[in-house]
Amino acid sequence: MDNRQAIGSWISGPRAAAEEMGVDFGYPGQQLGLPQSGPGSVARFGRRLGAVAIDWIGCQLIAYGLITHGDLASAGNWTLGLFVVLSVLTVGTVGFTPGKRILGLRVISQHGGRLGLPRVVLRTVLLALVIPALVWDRDGRGLHDRLSGAVQVRI
């Protein structure tokens, strides 16, 4: 074996090495019965990150301008609190936050339909902890989505 091939498989990770050996992992959302692309397909990481950024910046502006009256040091805690309240209220009622709506995303149950309020609260608390959102499964869902039985799809 050429050393360049060994280094390439190490950098690419175990999934790339398995795919080179002929293992078919399918597309994200296939195990959940979702389409490969278009409306109803699993949302990609870039859109999900953009939606969280829009929501976070909006909460930051509200905390900085309206609640703390320009005190940047205390605006951080208020931002997190506003983000949690925003997520619970909007995802629990309409299925998306303002950022998700702008980018064309919706949070649904992995079996279809809406999430119940306890699962929305669990998902939001895990999202606020950040680390669970950084651990993904093969469908591209974060641990916060997986544990709450949710999936983010394109509208």
Side-chain angles (χ1 to χ4, degrees), residues 41-114:
S41 64
V42 172
R44 302 289 187 236
F45 176 73
R47 280 191 180 196
R48 294 191 321 250
L49 183 63
V52 168
I54 291 169
D55 294 333
W56 187 264
I57 290 169
C59 291
Q60 181 76 41
L61 290 173
I62 292 169
Y64 180 74
L66 297 177
I67 297 175
T68 65
H69 304 291
D71 182 15
L72 190 59
S74 62
N77 292 333
W78 282 105
T79 301
L80 181 60
L82 285 171
F83 181 79
V84 168
V85 169
L86 172 78
S87 295
V88 168
L89 290 178
T90 58
V91 173
T93 56
V94 293
F96 48 78
T97 62
K100 288 183 189 343
R101 180 66 183 127
I102 289 169
L103 295 180
L105 303 178
R106 176 173 294 234
V107 179
I108 63 170
S109 169
Q110 67 185 10
H111 303 295
R114 295 172 57 175

Side-chain angles (χ1 to χ4, degrees), residues 15 24-31 136-141:
R15 180 179 178 133
D24 181 24
F25 288 104
Y27 61 87
Q30 185 174 11
Q31 293 179 327
W136 304 314
D137 65 4
R138 74 188 249 192
D139 288 319
R141 295 187 307 158

